[in-house]
Each structure stands twice: as C-alpha cells, then as structure tokens.
Amino acid sequence: EPEVTQTPSHQVTQMGQEVILRCVPISNHLYFYWYRQILGQKVEFLVSFYNNEISEKSEIFDDQFSVERPDGSNFTLKIRSTKLEDSAMYFCASSSGTGPSPLHFGNGTRLTVT
Amino acid sequence: GQQLNQSPQSMFIQEGEDVSMNCTSSSIFNTWLWYKQDPGEGPVLLIALYKAGELTSNGRLTAQFGITRKDSFLNISASIPSDVGIYFCAGRGSNYKLTFGKGTLLTVNP
C-alpha cells in the first residue's frame, strides 16, 4: 500500500540553525500538509498546500516557517531559525482531495532543538 | 477556532473488554476521522465518516458520525493487547484543516 515517507526520522539541531524536513507524499495525492505534535500533546495543524501554494495555515506557522514542493515528488518544511520550542514531532500528510478524502500520515521527523 | 473535546483521556481495561471513546465539537464537521498512533509513529487511519448518522465498522472497530455533526464515537469490541495506543478523533469542516482531539490513551491488560 502506498505510504507517505519522511526523512530524516530524527534531526538534532542547535538553536538558531535552519532545518529542512523532507516528505514524499503518496504519488497521486494533490493536497499536502504539515502537522506538529509536541511530546505528549495532540497533533496540531501547521499548513496545507495545494496547486503549488499554501491554501491554509495556522497561527503557529509564522514567518520562520516555509514550505516548498521543489519537484514532482518532494514536499519540504523549512524552519529558518529554530527555537527551543520548535522541538516536536513533525508529521507530513497527503490526501487525494479535500472534503471526504482522509489524510494519510508519514511516521514523522523528531526535531530536537538544543 | 474549532475545539474538539475527546474523552476519556485514558483507559485501563482487561483483554476481552469492550471500549468506547467519543469526541464532541464546538462546531459542525463534514468529516470525522479516527486515527491510532503507536509510539514513535505517525497517526494511522482507522475509520473515516462522511455523513451525519453514518455508522461504519472496520473489524472490531465501529464508529459513528453524530446526527448533529458535532460528535462522534469509536467502539472497540473484544479488546486485545495490540489495541494499546493513543486514539485520536479528527474533524474537518469546510476548509482544508483537520482538527485533532487530544487523544485517548488505551492500555489493555492481558
């Protein structure tokens, strides 16, 4: 069964550094998402992306964050200058459409900011 | 913003028992989804619900989309040890965003 893949599985970075989290969504999906889960808390929406542009973003997704689909398969999340509170699991998800199309999640990237 | 209340927060049950958990929303959703998350992994879709009143089963799991479109429940029958994990409800309104509940941690004692 097709799946969403994310790399790396764990990223350790120093405060102030830039990180890029990578995702390969399911190949025929058109809608892409990033979610974040701080340890022990619920999964929180960051951003959705369709047709090469952001369709919706949360208040968490400030100017430090950006997303890109650099080619036909990858979907990336960049954090420009990481802060300690950015430490979390970051999940990529994709869906074939909106509305009744469920999201399928990757296994996440654990980001640790020291 | 949309708020989801999921309960209970945690459950400790004996193998073979049935389990029920539910979510209520402050606003109407068009889609309800139930996910399970194992430690260190991403949420895995269990059941998707698309119409008010819909009752859907997936093996020992049954979920319903409430008539008011503001609630949903998930039942697990005859629990087994591998049912252990965190169960999340998630709802989607008319926009792209999926809002998650805070999760129910299920522990099954063999």
Side-chain angles (χ1 to χ4, degrees), chain A:
Chain A
E1 184 173 326
E3 57 183 25
V4 176
T5 56
Q6 290 185 242
T7 56
S9 57
H10 192 187
Q11 174 92 45
V12 181
T13 189
Q14 288 192 321
M15 195 167 54
Q17 296 294 305
E18 174 184 287
V19 293
I20 297 177
L21 310 182
R22 302 181 191 279
C23 170
V24 178
I26 294 173
S27 62
N28 64 343
H29 283 186
L30 302 175
Y31 296 81
F32 314 112
Y33 311 82
W34 284 99
Y35 282 77
R36 173 181 90 173
Q37 186 179 34
I38 294 171
L39 186 64
Q41 298 187 25
K42 69 175 181 178
V43 180
E44 299 175 291
F45 171 77
L46 291 178
V47 66
S48 59
F49 191 87
Y50 169 69
N51 201 24
N52 282 321
E53 61 182 24
I54 290 173
S55 44
E56 189 174 0
K57 61 183 180 179
S58 72
E59 58 276 6
I60 303 169
F61 194 88
D62 61 22
D63 292 343
Q64 296 294 325
F65 292 87
S66 62
V67 290
E68 194 178 31
R69 188 153 162 83
D71 52 44
S73 60
N74 290 285
F75 179 52
T76 62
L77 174 70
K78 182 192 290 186
I79 308 175
R80 191 152 49 88
S81 177
T82 50
K83 304 185 285 286
L84 293 176
E85 54 265 36
D86 293 329
S87 295
M89 285 287 287
Y90 287 81
F91 292 106
C92 173
S94 68
S95 68
S96 58
T98 56
S101 301
L103 274 63
H104 296 267
F105 286 82
N107 277 334
T109 293
R110 177 171 297 285
L111 177 65
T112 302
V113 182
T114 61

Side-chain angles (χ1 to χ4, degrees), chain B residues 67-86:
Chain B
I67 290 290
T68 65
R69 294 166 66 195
K70 291 185 176 183
D71 63 302
S72 177
F73 71 75
L74 174 71
N75 286 343
I76 306 173
S77 62
S79 57
I80 59 178
S82 61
D83 290 334
V84 163
I86 302 176

Side-chain angles (χ1 to χ4, degrees), chain B residues 43-63:
Chain B
V44 174
L45 182 68
L46 298 174
I47 291 180
L49 302 161
Y50 303 120
K51 287 195 315 186
E54 180 180 353
L55 183 71
T56 297
S57 293
N58 178 9
R60 293 178 295 106
L61 277 61
T62 302

Side-chain angles (χ1 to χ4, degrees), chain B residues 6 9 24 27 30 40 54 76 82-83:
Chain B
Q6 184 172 351
Q9 196 171 20
T24 58
S27 54
N30 295 326
E54 180 180 353
I76 306 173
S82 61
D83 290 334

